[in-house]
């Protein structure tokens, strides 16, 4: 009898921006050793600074990307188009059987669009989220990616409902839970080990931070940082808050640039602007904050999981489970309301929260199981012979 031939299919993870890395890590780990797939990581280079990219690969234990497209910054069209041009060559060369895209960044939509037109199966991790705010570039990325992807992995029930309402066939939808929480749970212990070193790492005074005794801030969305007058008032408000409690603000490069361009000087009181933190340092900071102020999507989820009060400087969220079940509250752009909410929380009025179902550390494994079952039943024509 001839020896049995083994077939493995090439599975390509496409990552590009900071919020992608912690989502891809658990899926890659869960697929390791799965005989159906050989894995490859492609980094688009959308985020390229060490503290926006490489530090995450180190902290998360992700292997170096097999391919880096090095697209860098640009307008949305330039960045998206550049990723499309460069990734097409990589897909044609490597001929993956399936491409995994994550979240809602420009790299997600660009890779999905090229892959699907080459007839490659596209799986979207973190599908179905909707803010219903089309002025957010990420909302457009979510809608289009979900529309063209073949397999949709959702983190929560609202994701399934949104997709069904848009007419997506139920057999494409797999509710697997939240992959970011897989990473958070896996690395909680290592993050805690960083706590004593934070003053040195973040160049803060030794007495800062103390547990439950500081406010943590991250803001980078156009709606908060692009308009100079509003940004100036926001900084003023944070300075006010810092008269009561230290405020630690790891500043995204885009926000740093807007502050510089608007000539806004920051300093005084206890408002500390620091460089963007790595994954483990940020988790340590987040866990022990008295309150978090943010406009990020992922941080709304992580604070809900950790039970830390979160005030979101947006009027909508694509993660409604964080406000219905979790500790997140939407503040919009009202800075007086922000101050009031911070004061209430510091006086002890902390929102009670519950962890959403399937945010349990096993979402990556569920994705791996679905993919293995799906492709095991496929014709070997779509696979690469080894
Ligand atoms: C992107 C995502 C956003 C996510 C955020 C997290 C899209 C549409 N948006 O927004 O959903 O919340 O990442 O960080 O994809 N820059 C650097 N170094 C870097 C990366 C960026 O200096 O390593 C600067 C550049 O000036 C760049 C600007 O930041 O122009 C914005 O970067 P970009 O990737 O275009 O979008 P983000 O605002 O980071």
């Amino acid at each position: 009898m001839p020896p049995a031939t083994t077939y493995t299919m090439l599975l390509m993870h496409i990552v590009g921006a900071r919020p992608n890395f912690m989502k891809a890590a658990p899926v890659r780990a869960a697929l390791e050793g799965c005989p159906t797939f050989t894995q490859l990581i492609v980094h688009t280079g959308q985020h390229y600074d060490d503290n926006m990219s490489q530090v995450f690969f180190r902290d998360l234990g992700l292997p170096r990307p097999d391919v880096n497209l090095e697209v860098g910054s640009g307008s949305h069209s330039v960045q998206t188009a550049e990723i499309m041009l460069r990734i097409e060559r990589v897909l044609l060369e490597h001929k993956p059987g399936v491409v995994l895209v994550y979240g809602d960044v420009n790299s997600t939509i660009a890779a999905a669009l090229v892959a699907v037109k080459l007839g490659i199966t596209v799986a979207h991790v973190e599908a179905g989220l909707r803010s219903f705010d089309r002025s957010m570039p990420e909302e457009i990325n979510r809608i289009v990616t979900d529309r063209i992807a073949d397999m949709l992995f959702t983190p929560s029930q609202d994701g399934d409902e949104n997709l069904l309402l848009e007419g997506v066939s139920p057999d494409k939808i797999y509710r697997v839970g939240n992959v970011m929480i897989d990473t958070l749970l896996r690395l909680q212990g290592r993050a805690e080990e960083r706590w004593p070193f934070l003053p040195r790492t973040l160049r803060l005074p030794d007495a800062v931070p103390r547990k439950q005794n500081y406010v943590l801030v991250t803001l980078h969305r156009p709606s908060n940082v692009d308009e100079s007058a509003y940004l100036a008032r926001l900084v003023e408000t944070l300075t006010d808050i810092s008269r009561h409690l230290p405020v630690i603000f790891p500043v995204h490069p885009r926000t740093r640039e807007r502050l510089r361009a608007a000539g806004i000087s920051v300093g005084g009181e206890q408002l500390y602007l620091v460089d963007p933190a790595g994954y483990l340092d940020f988790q340590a900071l987040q866990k022990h904050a008295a309150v978090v102020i943010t406009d990020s999507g992922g941080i709304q989820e992580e604070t809900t999981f950790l039970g830390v009060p979160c005030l979101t400087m947006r009027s909508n969220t694509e993660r409604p489970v964080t406000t219905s079940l979790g500790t997140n509250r939407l503040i919009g752009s009202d800075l007086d309301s922000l101050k009031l909410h911070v004061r209430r929380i510091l006086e002890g009025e902390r929102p009670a929260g519950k962890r959403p179902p399937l945010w349990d550390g096993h979402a990556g494994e569920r994705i791996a199981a679905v993919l293995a079952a799906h492709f095991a039943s496929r014709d070997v024509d779509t696979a690469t012979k080894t």
Side-chain angles (χ1 to χ4, degrees):
M1 232 172 55
T5 314
T6 50
Y7 292 92
T8 66
M9 172 179 282
L10 186 65
L11 177 151
M12 205 178 257
H13 302 270
I14 315 284
V15 292
R18 186 169 62 176
N20 290 158
F21 308 133
M22 59 291 262
K23 294 170 191 165
V27 181
R28 195 207 67 88
L31 284 164
E32 212 166 38
C34 171
T36 315
F37 302 109
T38 303
Q39 306 190 68
L40 217 69
I41 299 178
V42 176
H43 191 331
T44 64
Q46 176 174 346
H47 283 178
Y48 44 86
D49 284 355
D50 182 62
N51 57 18
M52 298 295 284
S53 177
Q54 286 95 316
V55 67
F56 286 83
F57 279 76
R58 287 197 294 275
D59 281 359
L60 300 167
L62 266 172
R64 279 167 64 88
D66 299 282
V67 180
N68 193 327
L69 304 177
E70 296 181 348
V71 293
S73 305
S75 70
H76 283 266
S77 301
V78 166
Q79 193 174 55
T80 309
E82 213 38 76
I83 297 168
M84 289 178 69
L85 286 172
R86 297 186 193 193
I87 208 156
E88 185 175 48
R89 290 196 282 270
V90 175
L91 295 177
L92 287 172
E93 182 190 340
H94 292 277
K95 299 187 175 46
V98 54
V99 158
L100 262 64
V101 294
Y102 296 85
D104 56 15
V105 300
N106 287 340
S107 302
T108 312
I109 186 187
L113 191 49
V114 176
V116 83
K117 287 201 174 183
L118 291 174
I120 300 166
T121 300
V122 174
H124 183 205
V125 177
E126 200 186 80
L129 301 188
R130 297 290 181 270
S131 65
F132 302 101
D133 175 358
R134 289 168 65 99
S135 70
M136 280 180 82
E138 293 82 3
E139 181 73 353
I140 308 301
N141 294 346
R142 291 180 203 115
I143 294 170
V144 179
T145 304
D146 285 341
R147 194 76 198 118
I148 59 180
D150 304 285
M151 303 177 80
L152 298 160
F153 293 113
T154 63
S156 45
Q157 190 180 337
D158 54 285
D160 299 31
E161 287 165 1
N162 291 332
L163 293 170
L164 293 169
L165 279 171
E166 289 173 16
V168 173
S169 162
D171 58 9
K172 286 184 169 184
I173 305 172
Y174 304 88
R175 193 185 320 156
V176 291
N178 192 326
V179 281
M180 265 195 15
I181 303 302
D182 291 13
T183 299
L184 188 156
L185 273 168
R186 177 170 69 89
L187 295 176
Q188 256 191 141
R190 289 204 26 229
E192 194 58 33
E193 289 168 13
R194 295 291 182 100
W195 174 261
F197 305 103
L198 289 183
R200 209 173 62 207
T201 321
L202 301 175
R203 300 203 198 107
L204 288 166
D206 273 347
V208 180
R210 281 191 292 125
K211 290 184 180 174
Q212 310 305 324
N213 198 44
Y214 59 93
V215 179
L216 176 63
V217 178
T218 81
L219 296 164
H220 70 280
R221 295 217 174 267
S223 57
N224 283 317
V225 305
D226 279 8
E227 215 237 297
S228 306
Y230 182 75
L231 183 58
R233 288 207 297 125
L234 193 49
V235 169
E236 240 172 67
T237 305
L238 296 175
T239 311
D240 266 4
I241 293 172
S242 80
R243 291 182 220 285
H244 308 283
L245 215 59
V247 174
I248 302 174
F249 185 175
V251 189
H252 190 289
R254 142 186 252 287
T255 307
R256 177 83 68 187
E257 171 53 26
R258 301 293 171 188
L259 286 168
R260 194 200 56 76
I264 299 170
S265 65
V266 188
E269 300 305 329
Q270 305 181 81
L271 174 56
Y272 300 106
L273 263 62
V274 298
D275 285 339
Y279 182 79
L280 296 170
D281 292 338
F282 192 80
Q283 290 308 321
L285 274 176
Q286 195 170 215
K287 176 153 184 230
H288 298 298
V291 51
V292 174
I293 298 171
T294 193
D295 57 11
S296 143
I299 291 170
Q300 297 173 53
E301 297 185 332
E302 289 170 343
T303 46
T304 272
F305 184 82
L306 295 167
V308 172
C310 179
L311 301 173
T312 296
M313 301 305 293
R314 287 174 45 189
S315 50
N316 51 57
T317 177
E318 62 288 344
R319 287 144 161 110
V321 71
T322 62
T323 56
S324 60
L325 282 185
T327 50
N328 184 28
R329 299 294 174 263
L330 296 183
I331 301 297
S333 56
D334 183 343
L335 297 172
D336 289 329
S337 169
L338 175 65
K339 277 201 266 191
L340 185 72
H341 276 79
V342 170
R343 197 174 72 222
R344 284 197 188 141
I345 290 168
L346 298 183
E347 285 169 359
E349 251 183 74
R350 290 165 63 93
K354 279 206 300 225
R355 291 176 175 174
L358 295 181
W359 291 23
D360 59 358
H362 299 289
E365 292 157 30
R366 287 189 279 268
I367 291 173
V370 170
L371 289 169
H374 183 84
F375 288 101
S377 60
R378 279 282 197 90
D379 193 271
V380 289
D381 280 355
T382 57
T384 312
K385 203 177 193 179
T386 55

